[in-house]
Amino acid sequence: MIRAFRLALSCAALTFGASGVAQAADALKSVQLSKVILNTDSEVKGKLKVGTICLFGGGPITLTKEQKTQDYEHYDNLFSGRLKDRYFNVVTTSSDLFGEETAKKGDYLVGATLRLETINMCSSVNGEKGDVTLRVEWKIFDRAAQTVVATVDTTGQGKQEKFAQDGFKGMMDRAFQANLDALIDQGALQKHLGEPAK
Protein backbone atom coordinates (compact mmCIF):
# COMPACT_ATOMS: atom_id res chain seq x y z
CA MET A 1 0.00 0.00 0.00
CA ILE A 2 2.75 2.46 1.00
CA ARG A 3 4.80 1.45 -2.05
CA ALA A 4 1.82 2.09 -4.36
CA PHE A 5 1.27 5.48 -2.72
CA ARG A 6 4.92 6.47 -3.23
CA LEU A 7 4.78 5.36 -6.86
CA ALA A 8 1.64 7.43 -7.46
CA LEU A 9 3.24 10.42 -5.74
CA SER A 10 6.43 10.23 -7.83
CA CYS A 11 4.39 9.88 -11.05
CA ALA A 12 2.37 12.96 -10.09
CA ALA A 13 5.59 14.87 -9.39
CA LEU A 14 7.00 13.89 -12.79
CA THR A 15 3.78 14.96 -14.53
CA PHE A 16 3.74 18.27 -12.70
CA GLY A 17 7.42 18.87 -13.48
CA ALA A 18 6.94 18.16 -17.20
CA SER A 19 3.88 20.40 -17.41
CA GLY A 20 5.74 23.13 -15.53
CA VAL A 21 8.56 23.04 -18.09
CA ALA A 22 6.04 23.05 -20.96
CA GLN A 23 4.22 26.05 -19.47
CA ALA A 24 7.53 27.89 -19.03
CA ALA A 25 8.44 27.25 -22.69
CA ASP A 26 4.99 28.38 -23.84
CA ALA A 27 5.34 31.60 -21.85
CA LEU A 28 8.43 32.55 -23.87
CA LYS A 29 7.96 34.48 -27.08
CA SER A 30 8.92 32.39 -30.09
CA VAL A 31 11.74 33.06 -32.52
CA GLN A 32 12.32 31.95 -36.10
CA LEU A 33 15.25 32.24 -38.50
CA SER A 34 14.33 34.39 -41.47
CA LYS A 35 17.33 34.50 -43.82
CA VAL A 36 21.11 34.07 -43.86
CA ILE A 37 23.26 36.06 -46.32
CA LEU A 38 26.99 35.64 -46.94
CA ASN A 39 28.56 39.01 -47.78
CA THR A 40 32.06 38.77 -49.28
CA ASP A 41 32.50 42.47 -50.07
CA SER A 42 35.12 42.99 -47.34
CA GLU A 43 38.75 41.87 -47.45
CA VAL A 44 39.49 38.44 -45.97
CA LYS A 45 42.72 37.85 -44.07
CA GLY A 46 44.50 34.52 -43.94
CA LYS A 47 46.31 32.03 -46.09
CA LEU A 48 45.50 28.95 -48.12
CA LYS A 49 48.02 26.12 -48.13
CA VAL A 50 47.88 22.85 -50.04
CA GLY A 51 49.16 19.32 -49.55
CA THR A 52 48.82 16.78 -46.77
CA ILE A 53 51.64 18.40 -44.76
CA CYS A 54 50.48 21.96 -45.53
CA LEU A 55 53.86 23.24 -46.74
CA PHE A 56 52.92 24.55 -50.17
CA GLY A 57 51.13 27.69 -51.18
CA GLY A 58 50.45 30.16 -48.42
CA GLY A 59 49.22 32.87 -50.74
CA PRO A 60 46.48 35.41 -49.96
CA ILE A 61 42.81 34.46 -50.24
CA THR A 62 40.58 36.33 -52.65
CA LEU A 63 36.83 35.83 -52.84
CA THR A 64 34.33 36.99 -55.43
CA LYS A 65 32.63 40.09 -54.04
CA GLU A 66 28.94 39.28 -53.69
CA GLN A 67 25.99 38.95 -51.34
CA LYS A 68 24.51 35.50 -51.59
CA THR A 69 21.57 33.95 -49.74
CA GLN A 70 22.63 30.73 -48.02
CA ASP A 71 20.79 27.41 -47.87
CA TYR A 72 17.90 28.15 -45.50
CA GLU A 73 17.21 24.58 -44.40
CA HIS A 74 20.82 24.00 -43.41
CA TYR A 75 21.10 27.16 -41.31
CA ASP A 76 17.59 26.73 -39.89
CA ASN A 77 18.66 23.36 -38.51
CA LEU A 78 21.81 24.88 -36.96
CA PHE A 79 19.85 27.82 -35.54
CA SER A 80 16.90 25.87 -34.13
CA GLY A 81 19.07 23.06 -32.77
CA ARG A 82 21.31 25.45 -30.85
CA LEU A 83 18.43 27.50 -29.45
CA LYS A 84 16.46 24.42 -28.40
CA ASP A 85 19.57 23.18 -26.58
CA ARG A 86 19.48 26.45 -24.66
CA TYR A 87 15.72 26.17 -23.94
CA PHE A 88 14.39 28.87 -26.26
CA ASN A 89 10.97 28.63 -27.91
CA VAL A 90 11.93 28.13 -31.57
CA VAL A 91 9.76 27.86 -34.67
CA THR A 92 11.40 25.80 -37.41
CA THR A 93 10.01 25.03 -40.86
CA SER A 94 12.79 22.90 -42.34
CA SER A 95 10.95 19.62 -41.88
CA ASP A 96 7.54 21.03 -42.88
CA LEU A 97 6.55 19.41 -46.19
CA PHE A 98 3.84 22.00 -46.86
CA GLY A 99 5.72 25.17 -45.98
CA GLU A 100 3.65 28.32 -45.76
CA GLU A 101 0.35 26.41 -45.77
CA THR A 102 0.88 24.93 -42.32
CA ALA A 103 3.82 26.78 -40.81
CA LYS A 104 3.47 28.44 -37.44
CA LYS A 105 4.99 31.91 -37.37
CA GLY A 106 7.54 33.07 -34.81
CA ASP A 107 6.82 36.17 -32.72
CA TYR A 108 10.27 37.41 -33.68
CA LEU A 109 12.31 36.81 -36.83
CA VAL A 110 16.11 36.78 -36.91
CA GLY A 111 18.15 37.56 -40.01
CA ALA A 112 21.92 37.09 -40.24
CA THR A 113 24.54 38.62 -42.54
CA LEU A 114 27.81 36.66 -42.43
CA ARG A 115 31.16 38.23 -43.24
CA LEU A 116 34.34 36.17 -43.41
CA GLU A 117 37.15 37.90 -41.54
CA THR A 118 39.86 35.26 -41.62
CA ILE A 119 40.46 31.93 -43.34
CA ASN A 120 43.50 29.85 -42.44
CA MET A 121 43.03 26.65 -44.36
CA CYS A 122 44.98 23.74 -45.71
CA SER A 123 43.47 21.81 -48.62
CA SER A 124 44.52 18.34 -49.73
CA VAL A 125 43.13 15.20 -51.35
CA ASN A 126 41.84 14.32 -47.86
CA GLY A 127 39.73 17.48 -47.65
CA GLU A 128 40.30 20.64 -45.63
CA LYS A 129 41.37 21.62 -42.14
CA GLY A 130 42.05 24.92 -40.41
CA ASP A 131 39.93 27.70 -39.01
CA VAL A 132 37.65 30.53 -40.08
CA THR A 133 36.46 33.61 -38.22
CA LEU A 134 33.01 35.00 -39.02
CA ARG A 135 31.55 38.34 -38.09
CA VAL A 136 27.76 38.26 -38.05
CA GLU A 137 25.31 41.13 -38.09
CA TRP A 138 22.04 39.93 -36.53
CA LYS A 139 18.77 41.76 -37.00
CA ILE A 140 15.82 40.94 -34.74
CA PHE A 141 12.41 41.76 -36.23
CA ASP A 142 9.25 42.10 -34.14
CA ARG A 143 6.48 40.64 -36.29
CA ALA A 144 3.66 42.29 -34.29
CA ALA A 145 5.22 45.77 -34.43
CA GLN A 146 6.55 45.20 -37.98
CA THR A 147 9.91 46.72 -37.13
CA VAL A 148 13.54 45.81 -36.46
CA VAL A 149 14.02 46.07 -32.69
CA ALA A 150 17.73 45.22 -32.48
CA THR A 151 20.89 45.02 -34.56
CA VAL A 152 23.73 43.11 -32.91
CA ASP A 153 27.28 42.35 -34.11
CA THR A 154 29.13 39.23 -32.97
CA THR A 155 32.34 37.41 -33.87
CA GLY A 156 33.05 33.70 -33.63
CA GLN A 157 35.57 31.12 -34.81
CA GLY A 158 35.15 27.62 -36.18
CA LYS A 159 37.97 25.07 -36.27
CA GLN A 160 38.55 21.80 -38.09
CA GLU A 161 41.45 19.97 -36.47
CA LYS A 162 41.75 17.07 -38.94
CA PHE A 163 41.30 16.82 -42.70
CA ALA A 164 37.69 16.18 -43.72
CA GLN A 165 35.96 16.21 -47.10
CA ASP A 166 33.49 18.76 -45.76
CA GLY A 167 36.09 20.49 -43.59
CA PHE A 168 35.40 24.04 -44.77
CA LYS A 169 31.66 23.57 -44.29
CA GLY A 170 32.33 22.29 -40.77
CA MET A 171 34.42 25.37 -39.98
CA MET A 172 31.65 27.66 -41.23
CA ASP A 173 28.99 25.80 -39.25
CA ARG A 174 30.96 25.97 -36.01
CA ALA A 175 31.74 29.66 -36.57
CA PHE A 176 28.02 30.35 -37.12
CA GLN A 177 27.14 28.49 -33.92
CA ALA A 178 29.85 30.38 -31.99
CA ASN A 179 28.28 33.63 -33.18
CA LEU A 180 24.84 32.41 -32.15
CA ASP A 181 26.18 31.58 -28.68
CA ALA A 182 27.66 35.10 -28.50
CA LEU A 183 24.28 36.59 -29.44
CA ILE A 184 22.61 34.64 -26.62
CA ASP A 185 25.38 35.41 -24.12
CA GLN A 186 24.94 39.13 -24.79
CA GLY A 187 21.28 38.78 -23.77
CA ALA A 188 19.97 40.23 -27.03
CA LEU A 189 17.38 37.49 -27.59
CA GLN A 190 16.32 37.28 -23.95
CA LYS A 191 15.51 40.99 -23.93
CA HIS A 192 12.66 40.36 -26.37
CA LEU A 193 11.79 36.67 -25.93
CA GLY A 194 12.15 36.30 -22.17
CA GLU A 195 14.60 34.26 -20.12
CA PRO A 196 14.47 30.50 -20.83
CA ALA A 197 13.82 28.22 -17.86
CA LYS A 198 16.54 25.59 -17.61
Side-chain angles (χ1 to χ4, degrees):
M1 181 74 171
I2 293 174
R3 185 178 177 186
F5 176 74
R6 286 180 179 163
L7 182 61
L9 189 62
S10 49
C11 287
L14 285 172
T15 304
F16 176 77
S19 65
V21 170
Q23 287 172 1
D26 290 343
L28 285 175
K29 295 284 187 181
S30 60
V31 64
Q32 182 177 4
L33 184 67
S34 175
K35 183 183 282 190
V36 175
I37 294 173
L38 178 62
N39 183 325
T40 54
D41 285 348
S42 54
E43 182 182 352
V44 178
K45 297 176 182 177
K47 293 180 179 180
L48 174 62
K49 295 183 179 181
V50 294
T52 53
I53 54 176
C54 306
L55 286 180
F56 306 103
I61 295 170
T62 55
L63 299 175
T64 304
K65 295 184 183 299
E66 61 181 357
Q67 293 192 54
K68 187 175 181 182
T69 301
Q70 301 301 287
D71 174 29
Y72 176 77
E73 185 173 340
H74 177 73
Y75 279 95
D76 184 42
N77 285 326
L78 292 175
F79 181 86
S80 60
R82 198 61 146 208
L83 288 184
K84 284 177 182 176
D85 286 346
R86 298 191 66 169
Y87 305 98
F88 283 91
N89 186 5
V90 188
V91 174
T92 176
T93 59
S94 292
S95 59
D96 188 350
L97 296 177
F98 304 103
E100 292 296 322
E101 297 300 320
T102 59
K104 178 185 172 187
K105 306 294 185 184
D107 296 310
Y108 288 85
L109 298 176
V110 173
T113 300
L114 317 181
R115 289 181 174 85
L116 276 158
E117 289 202 326
T118 63
I119 303 175
N120 293 299
M121 189 168 70
C122 182
S123 179
S124 76
V125 293
N126 298 320
E128 306 89 32
K129 69 177 182 177
D131 62 79
V132 301
T133 302
L134 277 179
R135 181 165 53 90
V136 179
E137 180 186 76
W138 305 92
K139 288 189 181 293
I140 303 173
F141 181 83
D142 183 335
R143 179 173 265 127
Q146 288 291 294
T147 189
V148 173
V149 293
T151 301
V152 182
D153 286 313
T154 60
T155 303
Q157 188 182 62
K159 292 184 178 180
Q160 177 68 40
E161 301 287 351
K162 296 180 179 179
F163 283 115
Q165 292 301 326
D166 59 351
F168 182 70
K169 177 177 168 292
M171 292 178 231
M172 291 290 289
D173 288 353
R174 286 186 275 280
F176 177 79
Q177 290 173 320
N179 274 277
L180 187 51
D181 285 337
L183 178 70
I184 297 167
D185 293 341
Q186 288 182 28
L189 289 177
Q190 297 90 316
K191 181 179 177 181
H192 302 285
L193 305 178
E195 194 71 40
K198 296 181 181 180

